[in-house]
Amino acid sequence: MKHTVKLFTIGMKQIAKDGMLAVMVPAPFLIGLFFKFAIPFINTILVRELSFSLTPWYGLVDGMLICLAPMFAAMISAFLLLEERDEGIHAYYQITPAEGYSYLFARIGLPMIGAFLITIIVAAFFNISSLSAAAILASALVSSCTGIFLAMMVVSLAGNRVEGLAASKLMGISFAGLILIWFLPAPYYYVVSFLPSFWVGKLMTDGTEISSLLFGLLTCLLWITFFTRKFLKKV
């Protein structure tokens, strides 16, 4: 564990030196501020001018906020892994005590624990749909596990950082499950239930049902297992 923490600390120093990665760290808070004040302001204007309210979609906005924080963490972790692969550093780590799963835990696991805590803070302070503490905790847990899946997807599909930029665009597709649950009637929206974000959406719309939490975590686990095995075959 000591080697894993040391490796995590080295990664944090690398992030601080990389402007593109460093700017993603405060991004969830900045987006949360925007959602908290801009969306209700826009809603007020729409109601006054067009008699159209965004209030029914406030849960969708909060769901996107909860999904964004782990997604940024996933991008940071993935680009850091790919940069170390480009420079051949990952090969060095393979002959140290911090190899294999310990290496992945330092680069993805620990950052996602941080992302989980950040997600809770951001959702608690900036949500606009009066989310309960239970809903925030459950959806943040599923979303953080989704971040692990997204990071593993990028590093298993991309061979270098340039390819990683292209692969990271697939992260946007992961939002489809969250978005479509607001626009497709039941049971048709279950067509995207294989995406973890769908279960975040279920937690937003149906409350903290234990079944939605468990299915969300199971979906994440299946994707994480698939892409982790694919990644470890490449290293």
Side-chain angles (χ1 to χ4, degrees), residues 1-230:
M1 187 62 183
K2 180 178 69 174
H3 300 285
T4 303
V5 173
K6 185 177 181 180
L7 190 57
F8 172 75
T9 304
I10 294 172
M12 293 300 294
K13 292 178 180 178
Q14 290 176 251
I15 292 169
K17 295 177 182 178
D18 190 315
M20 187 186 80
L21 299 183
V23 76
M24 295 183 192
V25 176
F29 295 96
L30 298 176
I31 294 172
L33 277 170
F34 176 80
F35 283 177
K36 181 70 173 181
F37 297 104
I39 300 299
F41 177 71
I42 294 171
N43 182 57
T44 301
I45 295 175
L46 289 174
V47 170
R48 185 179 66 239
E49 301 295 333
L50 303 174
S51 298
F52 176 79
S53 177
L54 294 175
T55 305
W57 287 276
Y58 275 10
L60 173 59
V61 174
D62 285 340
M64 292 183 68
L65 179 62
I66 288 171
C67 288
L68 279 172
M71 189 188 77
F72 282 119
M75 292 178 68
I76 293 172
S77 296
F79 288 142
L80 187 57
L81 280 163
L82 292 172
E83 181 178 341
E84 290 177 341
R85 181 187 293 177
D86 288 347
E87 297 176 356
I89 298 175
H90 78 288
Y92 164 76
Y93 288 135
Q94 296 306 309
I95 58 173
T96 69
E99 53 82 30
Y101 288 106
S102 295
Y103 175 58
L104 288 178
F105 185 69
R107 286 290 175 264
I108 298 178
L110 288 178
M112 284 307 158
I113 293 175
F116 172 67
L117 298 176
I118 290 173
T119 301
I120 292 174
I121 295 171
V122 169
F125 281 97
F126 301 124
N127 81 85
I128 58 176
S129 63
S130 302
L131 293 175
S132 66
I136 290 173
L137 287 171
S139 55
L141 181 58
V142 175
S143 183
S144 298
C145 291
T146 302
I148 299 175
F149 139 56
L150 293 175
M152 293 309 307
M153 177 188 71
V154 172
V155 297
S156 64
L157 296 179
N160 52 56
R161 192 160 173 170
V162 175
E163 293 179 3
L165 287 171
S168 65
K169 295 178 181 178
L170 294 174
M171 290 185 178
I173 299 176
S174 69
F175 281 97
L178 171 66
I179 295 171
L180 291 179
I181 197 171
W182 258 267
F183 296 98
L184 288 180
Y188 302 108
Y189 54 44
Y190 281 102
V191 71
V192 289
S193 62
F194 64 93
L195 294 172
S197 66
F198 170 85
W199 299 105
V200 174
K202 287 286 285 181
L203 290 167
M204 294 291 103
T205 57
D206 299 343
T208 52
E209 291 186 357
I210 189 65
S211 58
S212 295
L213 173 61
L214 293 177
F215 276 118
L217 294 176
L218 177 60
T219 305
C220 289
L221 179 61
L222 293 174
W223 282 114
I224 291 168
T225 301
F226 174 76
F227 284 115
T228 299
R229 288 179 177 177
K230 187 175 179 65

